[in-house]
Amino acid sequence: MAAIVAAVAAMLVTYIVVVTTRADAAETLLSQGRPTTASSTENAGTPASSATDGNTGTRWSSAFSVPQWIQVDLGTSQAITRVALNWEGAYATAFQIQTSTNGTTWTNIYSTTTGTGGQQSLPVTGTGRYVRVNATAKATQWGVSLWEFQVFGGTPDTPGGCGTTNTALGKTATASSTENAGTPASSAFDGNTGTRWSSLATDPQWLQVDLGTAVSVCGVTLNWEAAYATAFQIQVSTNGTTWTNIYSTTTGTGGVQSPAVTTTTGRYVRMNGTARATQWGYSLWEFQVFTGSGPSTSPSTSVSPSTPTLPTSDTPDFGPNVRIFDPSTPVATIQSAVDQAFNAQLRSPTAQFGTQRNVFLFKPGTYGRVWANVGFYTTIAGLGLNPDDVTINGAVNVDSGWNFGDEANATQNFWRSMENLSIVPEGGTNRWAVSQAAPMRRVHIRGDLTLAPSNQDTGQGYSSGGYLADSVVDGVVSSGSQQQWYTRDSRITRWDGGVWNMVYSGVQGAPANAFPNPPHTTLATTPVTREKPYLYVDSAGLYRVFVPSVRRNSAGATWPNTAGTSIPMREFYVAKPGDSAARINSALAQGLNLFFTPGTYSLDQTIRVTRPNTVVTGIGFPTLIPNNGVEALNVADVDGIKISGLTFDAGTTNSPTLMSVGQAGVHTDHAANPISLQDVFFRVGSSVQGKATTTLAVHSDDTIIDHIWAWRADHGGAPTGWTVNTGDTGLIVNGDDVLATGLFVEHYQKYEVIWNGNRGRTIFFQNEKPYDVPNQAAWIGPRGNGYAAYKVADTVTDHELWGGGSYCYFNVNPSVRVDRAFEVPNRAGVRLHSVLTVSLGDVGTIANVVNDTGGAVPNPAGNTTPRQVVNYP
């Protein structure tokens, strides 16, 4: 149904809220199709009438200034009870809803200075023939823009009428067929009009929902995709076998329909399509069912588990995997808690891919001697507004003693983090011997910091890759055996050591640029940054999330005076393991941000983030696993969405993508307020035998990718292998002006990074080629043997990379070779700096570093000696 999907692509830009009336409802939509005018229009394609046409794929947008207004003439004076606004990304932060009897004198019936955009349903009381939205402040550099402006009158439903709650939301759904795994029956009952059910292209086809118990069915709303039914029946059943028609038509028009049904008791409700309007099947964005006896929910009653209530507390329950300490907590209690979490993993062959999740949060204050060993899926974090608000005396320590039989090997010290605190290290030095997916952010080390395992002085220690940002180290950073490391926007006294690829941007005190000897690549500033959102408690003891602002050409830590916005926790839905994707999407549809607590989340549908400036964050490595080949997370092409602190495990059914940002082919300028991804990690095969063609696709312009690890597993709790955990590509970038700071992508079976957008920049890239290539014949790319790790498309005219390393270890078949690690077009605007290749243990061959330049590894010098290219061309 590609043609149909393309025709409605505009509808997918934002979450669509369609408010309709039903046969028994007294509230009436007054504004649709009425004469509408505005203070200005951006262009002929965005007239005022588009906001009142009932089509959420069209919009009104104004000139790029304020104030601006849009008004509708209802024809006669009416009692106004509600106004619904569906904002495009260019929304108003301050506006009034106003009424008038003559179109000249206006009365405010609603006013705000803290507008959040998205979808708003505003109860109001007023009378007038004319109703307008008067915008006095805007959120973006653009004007203001509305997909829909709806005015309602009359009286709300009363007991005895048809209720206003969608009884079918999140209930069990089945269908006669589905077009593909991406359009399941459940998508028509998830409350998300960006997902849909579609059938095979034959007649008849049906879609039904099980309400769980017999109820009085008095209304339905069908929101058709372009592939609609011209003939269909609405049917109910008490047993799912014998059906009664409550509505029938042979002249269906598609769009949004609320047919007048005959009120009948039933547990099952279905749409039975018998004739199609197109050559395609039947397709519904949403199928809503309403029941009798008045509204089924009220502020004082509970709601269905699929429909979360708005949080009312700024002191939420973060679940059993989170422990919170304050300075009055006995040190022995703290030590016992952190020891218990770590010791359960000690020398455990399953801990690396286990389900355990541990978060230890420290409220502001000073803590006595605590030695916190940090294991897998463990986070240690402070709850102050600034790192120095929380001081731990002792250590937040990562070493490699857990790895029985290989205590010197820290190359598997993944999935742990330390954030937003200060440490006075015992003995003067704190140890953080980690590899991938182990960020240290917003930390003050009041002493020295070492990044290698404790016996590295014997020559037996190994550690391979890490990330440090927005931090201060008062003493010396010793990298020791660290093979590669990226440090961003921090302050240090001195850096000692470096093996292959040490990269710094915006780091005060960083070593001079000297690659390859020593292997330091240093940029004075970072082009664009936005630090990761973080949890803290305010002076009243209430929980909030601080969202730092965008910085440009930045250097040094942001704190203690970090610019940004503080969001109370009542504006977040706090997700917990066991929450369904429908429940999470319903929370997002209510305008909430999303906060994932630690644990594993099984998703039978895509989580869709559509509202500008939405914050989606997690603590303790919450892990999202898609089922049946769905995409786990989809981010709309709108301003300012922030995604951080999430881990994705591919499911056993192949997903075309695990996460996508924006819409393919759409290039909207987000430079003023970019989408950002931080500490987002992807795994294809590990705890499960996962499969995903691409793990991350970035379509939106100006996106910031700040520390990701995309990993096709070379080992795991579940078996791995060339035909077992399959994955083509870790990252595809189609957006222009995308910046990656700290990009780790490993072991994929084709091009591991494909960069199609123009003016892309990467600061630090770390890669290992797939270990498990069975033979050369199985691995032939478009330009010879194997696939490059980092591919810049031939159409790209401007691209730049600083500090990139690609390594091979073809241990299944050491005769395998890849012709080049970096493949780029030969033009002046495409520039690479400080790039290298290594054959680990001299096992397998990389013939060149960039294109046909740089020479081969294994290097004749032997002993895993790298090849380097300082600048290309």
Side-chain angles (χ1 to χ4, degrees):
M1 298 178 69
I4 297 297
V5 173
V8 297
M11 295 179 69
L12 302 179
V13 176
T14 187
Y15 186 90
I16 304 164
V17 170
V18 178
V19 185
T20 63
T21 59
R22 298 184 305 282
D24 295 332
E27 188 180 58
T28 303
L29 175 58
L30 305 173
S31 54
Q32 191 159 309
R34 301 299 305 175
T36 307
T37 54
S39 52
S40 67
T41 57
E42 180 183 2
N43 55 59
T46 58
S49 58
S50 290
T52 53
D53 61 1
N55 182 351
T56 51
T58 63
R59 64 187 176 96
W60 162 71
S61 60
S62 76
F64 300 170
S65 61
V66 285
Q68 298 289 343
W69 53 260
I70 181 171
Q71 72 184 49
V72 60
D73 178 358
L74 304 179
T76 60
S77 188
Q78 304 272 357
I80 311 303
T81 57
R82 185 161 60 91
V83 171
L85 303 175
N86 187 354
W87 294 99
E88 195 248 3
Y91 65 94
T93 55
F95 65 91
Q96 303 85 44
I97 305 296
Q98 302 174 320
T99 61
S100 174
T101 58
N102 55 16
T104 303
T105 304
W106 296 93
T107 300
N108 285 354
I109 59 173
Y110 175 85
S111 181
T112 184
T113 58
T114 57
T116 58
Q119 298 81 41
Q120 297 179 277
S121 182
L122 307 173
V124 296
T125 300
T127 301
R129 171 177 170 172
Y130 303 90
V131 183
R132 79 174 180 181
V133 180
N134 186 47
T136 54
K138 55 194 178 78
T140 71
Q141 73 269 40
W142 315 111
V144 290
S145 182
L146 283 163
W147 296 106
E148 283 295 290
F149 168 28
Q150 296 175 310
V151 179
F152 296 85
T155 57
D157 295 335
T158 57
C162 199
T164 59
T165 295
N166 176 17
T167 310
L169 183 64
K171 298 295 175 59
T172 301
T174 53
S176 53
S177 68
T178 57
E179 181 186 6
N180 56 56
T183 58
S186 59
S187 289
F189 301 96
D190 60 2
N192 183 349
T193 51
T195 63
R196 62 187 175 93
W197 163 72
S198 61
S199 76
L200 297 177
T202 59
D203 297 311
Q205 300 288 343
W206 53 261
L207 173 68
Q208 76 181 49
V209 61
D210 179 359
L211 302 179
T213 187
V215 292
S216 177
V217 176
C218 55
V220 299
T221 295
L222 304 172
N223 187 352
W224 293 99
E225 195 245 9
Y228 65 93
T230 55
F232 66 93
Q233 302 85 46
I234 302 299
Q235 302 172 321
V236 298
S237 172
T238 57
N239 56 18
T241 303
T242 305
W243 296 91
T244 300
N245 285 355
I246 61 174
Y247 175 80
S248 182
T249 185
T250 58
T251 57
T253 58
V256 178
Q257 293 180 273
S258 294
V261 301
T262 301
T263 300
T264 306
T265 297
R267 170 175 172 172
Y268 303 89
V269 183
R270 80 175 179 182
M271 185 286 301
N272 186 49
T274 54
R276 293 167 287 133
T278 71
Q279 73 269 41
W280 312 111
Y282 299 86
S283 185
L284 281 162
W285 297 107
E286 282 295 294
F287 180 5
Q288 299 176 312
V289 178
F290 304 92
T291 56
S293 300
S296 58
T297 63
S298 70
S300 62
T301 60
S302 61
V303 297
S304 161
S306 297
T307 309
T309 57
L310 291 170
T312 58
S313 172
D314 286 325
T315 55
D317 175 13
F318 294 112
N321 298 321
V322 178
R323 291 286 302 273
I324 301 173
F325 306 120
D326 62 48
S328 68
T329 307
V331 169
T333 300
I334 300 173
Q335 191 64 54
S336 175
V338 297
D339 286 349
Q340 183 178 7
F342 182 75
N343 291 340
Q345 304 181 31
L346 194 61
R347 301 184 178 182
S348 167
T350 61
Q352 188 175 163
F353 303 100
T355 58
Q356 78 282 356
R357 300 291 188 273
N358 297 289
V359 175
F360 300 103
L361 302 177
F362 292 78
K363 289 185 176 180
T366 300
Y367 294 80
R369 199 267 188 189
V370 174
W371 189 281
N373 287 309
V374 183
F376 292 106
Y377 312 107
T378 300
T379 293
I380 308 285
L383 288 172
L385 185 59
N386 291 298
D388 286 340
D389 294 343
V390 174
T391 299
I392 293 177
N393 290 279
V396 178
N397 179 70
V398 177
D399 212 331
S400 51
W402 68 272
N403 198 351
F404 181 66
D406 198 6
E407 288 90 346
N409 187 354
T411 61
Q412 294 179 28
N413 283 2
F414 310 141
W415 307 307
R416 61 201 75 198
S417 63
M418 171 168 51
E419 300 185 41
N420 198 36
L421 49 77
S422 65
I423 303 170
V424 179
E426 186 173 295
T429 301
N430 196 80
R431 187 175 305 279
W432 190 256
V434 299
S435 291
Q436 289 77 32
M440 183 189 302
R441 289 182 181 269
R442 220 176 151 75
V443 169
H444 186 185
I445 305 294
R446 298 182 180 181
D448 296 334
L449 175 65
T450 185
L451 305 176
S454 56
N455 61 348
Q456 56 110 351
D457 291 338
T458 68
Q460 299 174 357
Y462 303 95
S463 45
S464 180
Y467 175 93
L468 172 67
D470 200 22
S471 294
V472 173
V473 180
D474 290 346
V476 176
V477 182
S478 173
S479 58
S481 60
Q482 273 291 343
Q483 295 163 351
Q484 59 269 314
W485 189 278
Y486 177 51
T487 306
R488 181 183 62 70
D489 292 271
S490 296
R491 186 178 76 244
I492 64 176
T493 297
R494 191 177 80 241
W495 188 287
D496 285 349
V499 177
W500 293 327
N501 186 30
M502 321 305 287
V503 180
Y504 318 82
S505 67
V507 178
Q508 297 164 341
N513 186 68
F515 184 89
N517 188 25
H520 300 306
T521 302
T522 303
L523 288 74
T525 60
T526 308
V528 185
T529 57
R530 177 192 278 134
E531 299 301 337
K532 180 182 174 184
Y534 62 92
L535 183 70
Y536 77 102
V537 292
D538 63 17
S539 59
L542 303 179
Y543 287 83
R544 306 178 71 90
V545 171
F546 193 87
V547 183
S549 299
V550 171
R551 296 200 299 170
R552 302 185 190 280
N553 298 315
S554 56
T558 62
W559 48 276
N561 298 307
T562 307
T565 303
S566 178
I567 304 175
M569 282 303 299
R570 64 178 176 272
E571 296 182 17
F572 283 82
Y573 176 62
V574 178
K576 295 178 181 174
D579 279 353
S580 67
R583 182 179 177 90
I584 292 167
N585 278 326
S586 181
L588 290 167
Q590 293 179 51
L592 294 172
N593 300 294
L594 188 56
F595 190 101
F596 282 95
T597 61
T600 300
Y601 297 76
S602 180
L603 306 176
D604 62 356
Q605 61 183 253
T606 302
I607 296 173
R608 295 186 179 273
V609 185
T610 61
R611 181 173 57 86
N613 300 308
T614 300
V615 177
V616 177
T617 191
I619 56 173
F621 299 88
T623 304
L624 280 55
I625 304 178
N627 297 325
N628 302 318
V630 303
E631 183 179 57
L633 182 65
N634 182 281
V635 177
D637 187 49
V638 296
D639 277 354
I641 291 175
K642 297 100 180 165
I643 309 292
S644 63
L646 300 180
T647 299
F648 295 81
D649 259 342
T652 54
T653 300
N654 185 75
S655 292
T657 56
L658 292 183
M659 176 180 173
S660 61
V661 178
Q663 185 177 348
V666 174
H667 289 279
T668 304
D669 186 358
H670 299 293
N673 188 12
I675 297 168
S676 56
L677 316 180
Q678 295 151 316
D679 297 349
V680 177
F681 309 127
F682 303 91
R683 307 187 299 201
V684 179
S686 56
S687 58
V688 295
Q689 291 179 316
K691 298 175 176 64
T693 305
T694 300
T695 46
L696 174 63
V698 175
H699 306 294
S700 290
D701 291 355
D702 307 293
T703 301
I704 300 171
I705 305 170
D706 181 39
H707 190 222
I708 71 165
W709 185 34
W711 184 57
R712 177 182 166 265
D714 59 290
H715 66 289
T720 60
W722 190 252
T723 60
V724 178
N725 58 314
T726 54
D728 286 358
T729 301
L731 170 66
I732 296 176
V733 178
N734 294 323
D736 294 334
D737 301 294
V738 172
L739 171 67
T741 52
L743 183 57
F744 299 75
V745 185
E746 300 189 296
H747 305 155
Y748 288 83
Q749 293 171 295
K750 294 185 178 179
Y751 289 122
E752 308 206 46
V753 172
I754 301 173
W755 208 294
N756 297 316
N758 253 316
R759 297 178 300 281
R761 291 169 291 181
T762 296
I763 303 174
F764 184 87
F765 171 68
Q766 188 263 324
N767 166 262
E768 285 183 358
K769 301 305 297 170
Y771 290 179
D772 55 348
V773 182
N775 53 65
Q776 195 67 63
W779 204 46
I780 301 296
R783 296 190 177 176
N785 293 313
Y787 291 81
Y790 193 98
K791 165 69 173 176
V792 179
D794 294 344
T795 55
V796 171
T797 59
D798 191 301
H799 186 90
E800 197 156 11
L801 178 150
W802 295 266
S806 179
Y807 316 139
C808 73
Y809 182 64
F810 299 131
N811 64 326
V812 170
N813 188 339
S815 68
V816 167
R817 61 181 278 151
V818 58
D819 286 344
R820 60 196 61 84
F822 298 86
E823 187 174 299
V824 303
N826 284 307
R827 51 176 58 99
V830 179
R831 303 172 299 279
L832 308 185
H833 314 282
S834 305
V835 290
L836 72 145
T837 58
V838 175
S839 179
L840 299 169
D842 296 335
V843 178
T845 301
I846 302 176
N848 279 290
V849 181
V850 185
N851 294 347
D852 299 322
T853 300
V857 290
N859 192 313
N863 195 30
T864 315
T865 303
R867 291 280 195 176
Q868 298 111 343
V869 171
V870 177
N871 290 293
Y872 185 91

